[in-house]
Amino acid sequence: MYILAFESSCDDTSVALLYNDQLIAMQTHTQVEHERTQWVVPELAARLHADHVFTLLNDVLEEGGITLDKVDIFAATKEPGLIPSLLIGKTVAKTLAHIFKKPLIWVNHIEGHIFSVLLERTPWDIIFPSIVLSASGGHNDLYLWRSLSVIEKIGQTRDDSAGESLDKVWRAMGLWFPAGPQMDQLAQQFRGVSDIKFPLVLPTDSWDFSFSGIKSAAIREIEAIIQKRHLTVQDQQKIAFSYQSTVTNILSTRLIQATKHFHGKSVCLVGGVSANSDLRKKVKQFCDEENIPFLLPSSLRYCGDNAAMIGIRAYYTLQS
Ligand code: KG4
Ligand code: ZN
């Protein structure tokens, strides 16, 4: 069974072809045009999705060696995301399903991220219940994954997501969007002990997260330096290190607390921020000590937004 999946919820246009649960081909285009504004402009994002989606589709079909009439199932991200962006992938998938008289499966974007751990794996690799942290630019959620078809949300951010807060601190330092991978590298270049400290904010009455307080503290710290003098590369390294390690401490502490509380038998880390080296190290250390499996997307290209995760989620929807 061939599945053709579309993802266009934010600033990545992605098309993937799967044969059952096996990824055959995937093409993803990331929009760099938002550098000018530093934020994803929904109207512009939608136009760019429309500009690129058919080229990506043709490339994927060519790489997969099939024509559109051989596709058995179409799938697309339904929500959440930027409405104008979502509409492009949804409209293309719906139109193709209509023309070729094939079923169409709508996929929730965050469920797509969760199921990204199943790319290049089988469900037997996940020991349930699993505690899942999905952290990206658009959301920051904690889940209790009880079985393949039962996913319960147990916590979420009350304000910014971890990725969004990293992006905003990065921007305050006058650096180019997007932040994630570059902040990760800059933080690794810092040597010594940082005198900049941010509090470990963890709401005590729930499993929620909150990043806006530490984000504002970091931005105030940057502004205080800029008022006195030019921000040096050493300052940027120190701030990146201090801020990123606070964010990864918050995320890993919450994940560890929830795993202990809910007796999680495995831990999954997904979404754009799951690419972060410091966060991976902290969660891995805990899982190694507790001797429980730690599952990350099997490739970095499955961490950020991609259509393979939409296709695999659609495959398991069909199975259940
Ligand atoms: O999942 P994603 O591609 O899109 C959304 O659904 O939002 O996540 C994008 C987010 C951005 O905020 C980006 O800064 C962050 O993931 N990110 C990272 C890293 N790579 C991407 N954050 C920390 N460390 C990274 N290596
Ligand atoms: Zn995402």
Side-chain angles (χ1 to χ4, degrees):
M1 176 178 61
Y2 280 111
I3 303 172
L4 188 66
F6 295 85
E7 154 63 35
S8 66
S9 63
C10 189
D11 57 347
D12 294 298
T13 322
S14 186
V15 182
L17 178 69
L18 286 82
Y19 187 75
N20 294 330
D21 59 345
Q22 299 298 308
L23 179 66
I24 306 292
M26 176 164 73
Q27 292 286 334
T28 303
H29 171 264
T30 301
Q31 304 170 355
V32 293
E33 288 80 354
H34 304 290
E35 267 189 13
R36 264 178 283 149
T37 48
Q38 297 268 317
W39 303 114
V40 179
V41 181
E43 171 70 20
L44 174 64
R47 284 166 190 247
L48 293 167
H49 285 306
D51 285 349
H52 293 281
V53 67
F54 291 106
T55 312
L56 300 173
L57 171 61
N58 288 339
D59 289 352
V60 161
L61 291 173
E62 196 181 312
E63 201 182 324
I66 68 158
T67 46
L68 272 174
D69 56 310
K70 300 283 185 302
V71 173
D72 299 292
I73 307 279
F74 292 90
T77 306
K78 185 175 184 226
E79 58 187 7
L82 304 172
I83 305 288
S85 288
L86 284 165
L87 269 175
I88 304 300
K90 285 165 78 169
T91 305
V92 173
K94 197 168 180 174
T95 306
L96 293 174
H98 181 74
I99 293 171
F100 291 97
K101 297 187 173 45
K102 295 287 168 60
L104 168 66
I105 297 182
W106 294 128
V107 173
N108 174 285
H109 179 79
I110 302 167
E111 288 187 11
H113 275 300
I114 297 172
F115 277 75
S116 68
V117 294
L118 281 162
L119 286 159
E120 297 173 32
R121 289 202 184 94
T122 73
W124 308 113
D125 295 322
I126 303 172
I127 309 177
F128 294 109
S130 185
I131 307 298
V132 187
L133 172 66
S134 187
S136 78
H139 66 273
N140 201 102
D141 300 332
L142 201 58
Y143 292 88
L144 177 58
W145 197 2
R146 290 189 186 276
S147 69
L148 216 47
S149 53
V150 182
I151 307 168
E152 265 172 51
K153 193 199 260 190
I154 51 177
Q156 61 197 6
T157 184
R158 294 181 176 179
D159 36 62
D160 291 351
S161 67
E164 183 183 5
S165 86
L166 289 166
D167 294 345
K168 287 177 177 169
V169 169
W170 185 255
R171 184 183 171 214
M173 291 198 283
L175 297 166
W176 286 108
F177 166 97
Q182 300 177 65
M183 174 100 96
D184 201 347
Q185 274 180 11
L186 199 66
Q188 287 176 40
Q189 287 158 11
F190 176 71
R191 298 279 171 268
V193 181
S194 173
D195 54 355
I196 301 177
K197 300 263 183 287
F198 302 107
L200 202 71
V201 181
L202 283 162
T204 50
D205 56 345
S206 70
W207 297 101
D208 285 350
F209 300 85
S210 172
F211 293 100
S212 74
I214 56 161
K215 174 202 68 184
S216 301
I219 294 173
R220 278 197 300 275
E221 191 79 43
I222 295 163
E223 285 170 353
I225 299 173
I226 292 173
Q227 271 178 9
K228 282 185 261 165
R229 58 179 172 79
H230 178 72
L231 199 70
T232 64
V233 175
Q234 286 75 23
D235 292 326
Q236 290 172 339
Q237 288 170 346
K238 184 160 52 168
I239 292 161
F241 170 83
S242 309
Y243 190 69
Q244 184 189 271
S245 46
T246 309
V247 169
T248 58
N249 278 341
I250 291 173
L251 293 172
S252 58
T253 304
R254 211 29 138 199
L255 192 49
I256 291 166
Q257 286 173 339
T259 306
K260 289 181 175 165
H261 181 87
F262 292 100
H263 305 291
K265 293 202 165 58
S266 65
V267 169
C268 300
L269 184 58
V270 297
V273 179
S274 71
N276 186 269
S277 57
D278 189 43
L279 180 59
R280 288 176 167 216
K281 203 161 50 188
K282 285 170 179 163
V283 180
K284 185 177 183 305
Q285 190 184 343
F286 164 74
C287 291
D288 285 351
E289 281 165 13
E290 298 292 315
N291 203 18
I292 54 176
F294 173 37
L295 290 100
L296 284 159
S298 56
S299 157
L300 276 181
R301 69 187 189 137
Y302 306 144
C303 292
D305 290 347
N306 68 89
M309 69 185 197
I310 303 304
I312 194 95
R313 192 353 168 184
Y315 171 78
Y316 282 105
T317 300
L318 284 166
Q319 297 304 302
S320 62

